[in-house]
Amino acid sequence: MQPAGQYSRDRCITGVHGLDEILRGGIPYGSTVLASGTCGSGKTTLGMEFLVRGADAGEACAHFTATEPSVKLLENIRQFKFFDVKMVDSGLINVFDMDVLYSWLGLEKSSFDLDDVHSLIKAIVDIVNTIGVTRLVIDSVTTLCYKIKSEQLIRDFLFTLGKKLATLGCTTILIAEITSATENAHWSSFGVEEAIADGIIVLGDVERMGHLLRFLQVVKMRGTSHSRAKHAIELTPLGVMLTPMLKWGAVSDTHNRWGA
Amino acid sequence: MKMFDLDQGIADQLTEVSLNSAIQVRCGNSNAFMVTASTLIPLLQAFEMSGVYISASRGAAEVIQGFEAIGVDVSHIQFIDLVSSGILGGTTVPYSNVHFVDSPIMLESVLLRTLYILKTTDNERNFIFLDSVNSLAIYNEDRMLAEYLHTFINTFRQQEVLTVILNVPDQTPPLVLSNLDLYCTDLIDRGQVVIH
């Protein structure tokens, strides 16, 4: 029971060690969350774990991959000790190659117009609706949006997709590639994804005396209070593990942290 | 082959601590291995505990060989080696219970690796042995190390994992030393007399 006057939305419990604590219980259901990160920062692993944890709880999950073939992705999922191949066989984890989807839709072209974007949204929403998907990952939205040439169209695409998925009760992680995760950087490649998303999780590296430490930071999450601190992460067979980053060690070398 | 007598006083003192204790074990340069062995052997044999040994002062293989030389089975200990990754070929060891972290500066990674190992162990009675604070102090700035010890000790105390922290006090910065005194619940003092 909650104290009078307090209201909290139902949560999608990610199952990721430490992340639900940061989010004070999980991602509010139906949210569209941008997971932005530099290369090698763990964003694909985070997305995969989000799905496997969901499947482990009996939820139907879908992964649209535009960055690597689905076969390779499924091989990588096997690293998790909590993964069971039955999750795929029983239809709880569904992986779709974007290239195959484009081919089905006749979208094998270098750029998409308004009609193409709408048919893509319809296809994704139809799949989510048909399977009853409650957790979705698109990896990466950056690769997908490269085909959409106008900012306005990207905005429409993400807004419409997010709205329709929310209506279906689907919690979505859009993975975005960025080149820098410093405080002055954008959280997305096109600058519009971050405004549309309900939540932003940034992944990157902190350099400490020549060594790179992975970090995760929840910058924004509508519908819940949350920690905004940097957390160090490790990618393990038990999934992503987090601990608060040391306050005296969270600043990169380039900020003269170790200087005289 | 036993090259020294174990310190029975340490074993006696260990009977007084609980699983959520944090013990600072002070030693000198010359008695570090004797003090380490006198602490670990009762934990392994009398208390039948498993544990994680964080090795920042020497490579894990050298520590294991030291115990093997005195006839102690350390297969119930998982070692986290913070030294050998910085040495060419240092990570090629004939032991399956050794994990490597790139550098003693990756303090959060050490904590997370330890938590990971604890999650994968079946034993309910575990200890963490940190060897040693003075070695970590070579690489890490005082305030960061003090902050780390605060997090480290509280994390494992909360999880009811016995924390044992080896320290050569005259090689440890005063700020770190005073914080260690503050956070630890028990002290086993076999260190040298130090006047700061």
Coordinates of all heavy atoms in Angstrom, one line a residue, chain A residues 6-63:
Chain A
Q6 N 0.4 9.5 -2.9 CA 1.5 9.1 -3.8 C 0.9 8.2 -4.8 O 0.1 7.3 -4.6 CB 2.6 8.3 -3.0 CG 3.4 9.3 -2.2 CD 4.7 8.6 -1.7 OE1 5.0 7.5 -2.2 NE2 5.5 9.3 -0.9
Y7 N 1.5 8.3 -6.0 CA 1.0 7.5 -7.1 C 2.3 7.0 -7.9 O 3.2 7.8 -8.1 CB 0.1 8.2 -8.1 CG -0.1 7.5 -9.4 CD1 -1.0 6.5 -9.5 CD2 0.6 7.9 -10.6 CE1 -1.2 5.8 -10.7 CE2 0.4 7.2 -11.7 CZ -0.5 6.2 -11.8 OH -0.7 5.5 -13.0
S8 N 2.3 5.7 -8.2 CA 3.4 5.3 -9.0 C 2.9 4.4 -10.1 O 2.0 3.6 -9.9 CB 4.5 4.6 -8.2 OG 4.1 3.4 -7.8
R9 N 3.5 4.5 -11.3 CA 3.0 3.7 -12.5 C 3.5 2.3 -12.3 O 4.6 2.1 -11.7 CB 3.6 4.3 -13.8 CG 2.7 5.4 -14.3 CD 3.4 6.1 -15.4 NE 3.7 5.3 -16.6 CZ 4.3 5.8 -17.7 NH1 4.7 7.0 -17.7 NH2 4.5 5.0 -18.7
D10 N 2.8 1.3 -12.8 CA 3.3 0.0 -12.8 C 4.6 -0.1 -13.6 O 4.8 0.7 -14.6 CB 2.3 -1.0 -13.5 CG 1.1 -1.2 -12.6 OD1 1.3 -1.0 -11.4 OD2 0.1 -1.7 -13.1
R11 N 5.5 -1.0 -13.2 CA 6.9 -1.0 -13.7 C 7.1 -2.3 -14.5 O 6.6 -3.4 -14.2 CB 7.9 -0.9 -12.6 CG 7.8 0.3 -11.7 CD 7.8 1.6 -12.5 NE 7.4 2.7 -11.7 CZ 8.3 3.4 -11.0 NH1 9.6 3.1 -11.1 NH2 7.9 4.4 -10.3
C12 N 8.0 -2.1 -15.5 CA 8.5 -3.2 -16.2 C 9.9 -3.5 -15.5 O 10.8 -2.7 -15.6 CB 8.8 -2.8 -17.7 SG 9.8 -4.0 -18.6
I13 N 9.9 -4.6 -14.7 CA 11.1 -4.9 -14.0 C 12.2 -5.4 -15.0 O 12.0 -6.5 -15.5 CB 10.8 -5.9 -12.9 CG1 9.8 -5.3 -11.9 CG2 12.1 -6.3 -12.1 CD1 9.2 -6.3 -10.9
T14 N 13.2 -4.7 -15.1 CA 14.2 -5.0 -16.2 C 14.9 -6.3 -15.8 O 15.3 -7.1 -16.7 CB 15.3 -3.9 -16.4 OG1 16.1 -3.8 -15.2 CG2 14.7 -2.6 -16.7
G15 N 15.1 -6.6 -14.5 CA 15.9 -7.7 -14.1 C 17.4 -7.5 -14.1 O 18.1 -8.4 -13.7
V16 N 17.8 -6.4 -14.6 CA 19.3 -6.1 -14.7 C 19.7 -5.7 -13.3 O 19.2 -4.8 -12.7 CB 19.5 -5.0 -15.7 CG1 21.0 -4.6 -15.7 CG2 19.1 -5.4 -17.1
H17 N 20.8 -6.4 -12.9 CA 21.3 -6.2 -11.5 C 21.6 -4.7 -11.3 O 22.4 -4.1 -12.0 CB 22.6 -7.0 -11.4 CG 23.4 -6.7 -10.2 ND1 23.4 -7.4 -9.0 CD2 24.3 -5.7 -9.9 CE1 24.2 -6.9 -8.1 NE2 24.8 -5.8 -8.6
G18 N 20.9 -4.1 -10.3 CA 21.2 -2.7 -10.0 C 20.3 -1.7 -10.7 O 20.1 -0.6 -10.2
L19 N 19.9 -2.0 -11.9 CA 19.2 -1.0 -12.7 C 17.8 -0.7 -12.2 O 17.4 0.4 -12.1 CB 19.1 -1.5 -14.2 CG 18.5 -0.5 -15.2 CD1 19.2 0.9 -15.2 CD2 18.4 -1.0 -16.6
D20 N 17.1 -1.8 -11.7 CA 15.8 -1.5 -11.1 C 15.9 -0.7 -9.8 O 14.9 0.1 -9.6 CB 15.1 -2.9 -10.9 CG 14.8 -3.6 -12.2 OD1 14.3 -2.9 -13.1 OD2 15.1 -4.8 -12.3
E21 N 17.0 -0.8 -9.1 CA 17.2 0.0 -7.9 C 17.4 1.5 -8.3 O 16.8 2.4 -7.7 CB 18.4 -0.5 -7.1 CG 18.1 -1.8 -6.3 CD 18.2 -3.0 -7.2 OE1 18.6 -2.9 -8.4 OE2 17.8 -4.1 -6.7
I22 N 18.1 1.7 -9.4 CA 18.4 3.0 -9.9 C 17.0 3.7 -10.3 O 16.8 4.8 -10.1 CB 19.4 3.0 -11.1 CG1 20.8 2.6 -10.6 CG2 19.4 4.3 -11.8 CD1 21.7 2.4 -11.8
L23 N 16.2 2.8 -10.9 CA 14.9 3.3 -11.4 C 13.8 3.2 -10.4 O 12.6 3.4 -10.7 CB 14.5 2.5 -12.7 CG 15.5 2.7 -13.9 CD1 15.1 1.7 -15.0 CD2 15.4 4.1 -14.4
R24 N 14.2 2.9 -9.2 CA 13.2 2.8 -8.1 C 12.1 1.8 -8.4 O 10.9 2.1 -8.2 CB 12.6 4.2 -7.7 CG 13.6 5.3 -7.6 CD 14.4 5.3 -6.4 NE 15.2 6.5 -6.2 CZ 16.5 6.6 -6.4 NH1 17.2 5.5 -6.6 NH2 17.2 7.7 -6.2
G25 N 12.5 0.7 -9.0 CA 11.5 -0.3 -9.3 C 11.4 -0.8 -10.7 O 10.8 -1.9 -11.0
G26 N 11.9 -0.1 -11.6 CA 11.9 -0.5 -13.0 C 11.4 0.6 -14.0 O 11.2 1.7 -13.5
I27 N 11.4 0.3 -15.2 CA 10.9 1.2 -16.3 C 9.4 1.3 -16.2 O 8.8 0.3 -16.2 CB 11.4 0.8 -17.7 CG1 12.9 0.7 -17.7 CG2 10.9 1.8 -18.7 CD1 13.5 0.0 -19.0
P28 N 8.8 2.5 -16.2 CA 7.4 2.6 -16.2 C 6.9 1.9 -17.5 O 7.4 2.1 -18.6 CB 7.1 4.1 -16.3 CG 8.3 4.7 -15.5 CD 9.4 3.8 -15.9
Y29 N 5.8 1.0 -17.3 CA 5.3 0.3 -18.5 C 5.0 1.1 -19.7 O 4.5 2.2 -19.6 CB 4.0 -0.4 -18.0 CG 4.2 -1.8 -17.5 CD1 3.8 -2.2 -16.2 CD2 4.9 -2.8 -18.3 CE1 4.0 -3.4 -15.7 CE2 5.1 -4.1 -17.8 CZ 4.7 -4.4 -16.5 OH 4.9 -5.6 -16.0
G30 N 5.3 0.6 -20.8 CA 5.0 1.3 -22.1 C 5.9 2.4 -22.5 O 5.6 3.1 -23.5
S31 N 7.0 2.6 -21.7 CA 7.9 3.7 -22.0 C 8.8 3.3 -23.2 O 9.0 2.1 -23.5 CB 8.8 3.9 -20.9 OG 8.1 4.4 -19.7
T32 N 9.2 4.3 -23.9 CA 10.2 4.2 -25.0 C 11.5 4.8 -24.4 O 11.6 6.0 -24.1 CB 9.8 4.9 -26.2 OG1 8.6 4.4 -26.7 CG2 10.8 4.8 -27.3
V33 N 12.5 3.9 -24.3 CA 13.8 4.3 -23.6 C 14.9 4.3 -24.6 O 15.1 3.3 -25.3 CB 14.1 3.4 -22.4 CG1 15.4 3.8 -21.8 CG2 13.0 3.5 -21.4
L34 N 15.6 5.4 -24.7 CA 16.8 5.5 -25.6 C 18.0 5.0 -24.8 O 18.3 5.6 -23.7 CB 17.0 6.9 -26.0 CG 17.9 7.2 -27.2 CD1 17.3 6.6 -28.5 CD2 18.1 8.7 -27.3
A35 N 18.6 3.9 -25.3 CA 19.9 3.5 -24.6 C 21.0 3.9 -25.6 O 21.3 3.3 -26.6 CB 19.9 2.0 -24.4
S36 N 21.6 5.1 -25.2 CA 22.7 5.6 -26.1 C 24.0 5.3 -25.6 O 24.3 5.4 -24.4 CB 22.6 7.2 -26.1 OG 21.3 7.6 -26.5
G37 N 24.9 4.9 -26.5 CA 26.2 4.5 -26.0 C 27.3 4.6 -27.1 O 27.0 4.5 -28.3
T38 N 28.5 4.7 -26.6 CA 29.7 4.7 -27.5 C 30.0 3.2 -27.9 O 29.4 2.3 -27.2 CB 30.9 5.3 -26.9 OG1 31.1 4.7 -25.6 CG2 30.7 6.8 -26.7
C39 N 30.8 2.9 -28.8 CA 31.1 1.6 -29.2 C 31.7 0.8 -28.1 O 32.6 1.3 -27.4 CB 31.9 1.5 -30.5 SG 33.6 1.6 -30.3
G40 N 31.3 -0.4 -27.9 CA 31.8 -1.3 -26.8 C 31.4 -0.9 -25.4 O 31.9 -1.5 -24.4
S41 N 30.4 -0.1 -25.3 CA 30.0 0.3 -24.0 C 29.0 -0.6 -23.3 O 28.7 -0.5 -22.1 CB 29.4 1.8 -24.0 OG 28.3 1.8 -24.9
G42 N 28.4 -1.6 -24.0 CA 27.5 -2.6 -23.5 C 26.1 -2.4 -23.8 O 25.2 -3.0 -23.1
K43 N 25.7 -1.5 -24.7 CA 24.3 -1.2 -25.0 C 23.6 -2.5 -25.6 O 22.5 -2.7 -25.2 CB 24.2 0.0 -25.9 CG 25.0 0.1 -27.1 CD 25.0 1.5 -27.7 CE 25.7 1.5 -29.0 NZ 27.1 1.0 -29.0
T44 N 24.2 -3.2 -26.5 CA 23.6 -4.4 -27.1 C 23.4 -5.4 -26.0 O 22.3 -6.1 -25.9 CB 24.4 -4.9 -28.2 OG1 24.5 -3.9 -29.3 CG2 23.8 -6.2 -28.8
T45 N 24.4 -5.6 -25.1 CA 24.3 -6.6 -24.0 C 23.2 -6.2 -23.1 O 22.4 -7.1 -22.7 CB 25.6 -6.6 -23.3 OG1 26.7 -6.9 -24.2 CG2 25.6 -7.7 -22.2
L46 N 23.0 -4.9 -22.8 CA 22.0 -4.4 -21.9 C 20.6 -4.8 -22.6 O 19.7 -5.3 -21.9 CB 22.1 -2.9 -21.7 CG 21.0 -2.3 -20.8 CD1 21.2 -2.6 -19.4 CD2 21.0 -0.8 -21.0
G47 N 20.5 -4.5 -23.9 CA 19.2 -4.8 -24.6 C 18.9 -6.3 -24.6 O 17.8 -6.7 -24.3
M48 N 19.9 -7.1 -24.8 CA 19.7 -8.5 -24.8 C 19.3 -9.0 -23.5 O 18.4 -9.9 -23.4 CB 21.0 -9.2 -25.3 CG 21.3 -9.1 -26.8 SD 22.5 -10.3 -27.4 CE 23.9 -10.0 -26.3
E49 N 20.0 -8.5 -22.4 CA 19.6 -9.0 -21.1 C 18.2 -8.6 -20.7 O 17.4 -9.4 -20.1 CB 20.6 -8.4 -20.0 CG 20.2 -9.0 -18.7 CD 21.1 -8.6 -17.5 OE1 22.1 -7.9 -17.8 OE2 20.8 -9.0 -16.4
F50 N 17.8 -7.4 -21.1 CA 16.4 -6.9 -20.9 C 15.4 -7.9 -21.5 O 14.4 -8.2 -20.8 CB 16.3 -5.5 -21.6 CG 14.9 -4.9 -21.6 CD1 14.3 -4.5 -20.4 CD2 14.2 -4.8 -22.8 CE1 13.0 -4.0 -20.4 CE2 13.0 -4.2 -22.8 CZ 12.4 -3.8 -21.6
L51 N 15.7 -8.4 -22.7 CA 14.8 -9.4 -23.3 C 14.8 -10.7 -22.6 O 13.8 -11.3 -22.4 CB 15.1 -9.5 -24.8 CG 15.0 -8.3 -25.6 CD1 15.2 -8.6 -27.1 CD2 13.6 -7.6 -25.5
V52 N 16.0 -11.2 -22.4 CA 16.1 -12.6 -21.8 C 15.5 -12.6 -20.4 O 14.8 -13.6 -20.0 CB 17.6 -13.0 -21.7 CG1 17.7 -14.4 -21.1 CG2 18.2 -13.1 -23.1
R53 N 15.7 -11.5 -19.6 CA 15.0 -11.4 -18.3 C 13.5 -11.4 -18.4 O 12.8 -12.0 -17.6 CB 15.5 -10.2 -17.5 CG 17.0 -10.1 -17.2 CD 17.3 -11.0 -16.0 NE 18.7 -10.9 -15.6 CZ 19.4 -11.7 -14.8 NH1 18.7 -12.7 -14.3 NH2 20.6 -11.5 -14.5
G54 N 13.0 -10.7 -19.4 CA 11.6 -10.7 -19.7 C 11.1 -12.1 -20.1 O 10.1 -12.5 -19.5
A55 N 11.8 -12.8 -21.0 CA 11.4 -14.1 -21.4 C 11.4 -15.1 -20.2 O 10.6 -15.9 -20.1 CB 12.4 -14.6 -22.5
D56 N 12.4 -14.9 -19.3 CA 12.5 -15.7 -18.1 C 11.3 -15.5 -17.2 O 10.9 -16.4 -16.5 CB 13.8 -15.3 -17.4 CG 14.3 -16.4 -16.4 OD1 14.0 -17.5 -16.7 OD2 14.9 -16.0 -15.4
A57 N 10.7 -14.3 -17.3 CA 9.5 -14.1 -16.5 C 8.2 -14.4 -17.3 O 7.1 -14.1 -16.9 CB 9.5 -12.6 -16.1
G58 N 8.4 -15.0 -18.5 CA 7.2 -15.5 -19.3 C 6.7 -14.4 -20.2 O 5.6 -14.6 -20.8
E59 N 7.4 -13.3 -20.4 CA 6.9 -12.3 -21.3 C 7.4 -12.6 -22.8 O 8.5 -13.1 -23.0 CB 7.5 -10.9 -20.9 CG 6.9 -10.4 -19.6 CD 7.5 -9.0 -19.3 OE1 7.4 -8.1 -20.2 OE2 8.0 -8.8 -18.2
A60 N 6.6 -12.2 -23.7 CA 7.0 -12.3 -25.1 C 7.9 -11.1 -25.5 O 7.5 -10.0 -25.2 CB 5.8 -12.4 -26.0
C61 N 9.0 -11.4 -26.1 CA 10.0 -10.3 -26.4 C 10.4 -10.3 -27.9 O 10.4 -11.4 -28.5 CB 11.2 -10.5 -25.5 SG 10.9 -10.6 -23.8
A62 N 10.7 -9.2 -28.4 CA 11.2 -9.1 -29.8 C 12.4 -8.2 -29.9 O 12.6 -7.2 -29.2 CB 10.1 -8.6 -30.7
H63 N 13.3 -8.6 -30.8 CA 14.5 -7.8 -31.0 C 14.6 -7.6 -32.5 O 14.7 -8.6 -33.3 CB 15.7 -8.7 -30.5 CG 17.0 -7.9 -30.5 ND1 17.7 -7.5 -31.6 CD2 17.7 -7.5 -29.4 CE1 18.8 -6.9 -31.2 NE2 18.8 -6.8 -29.9

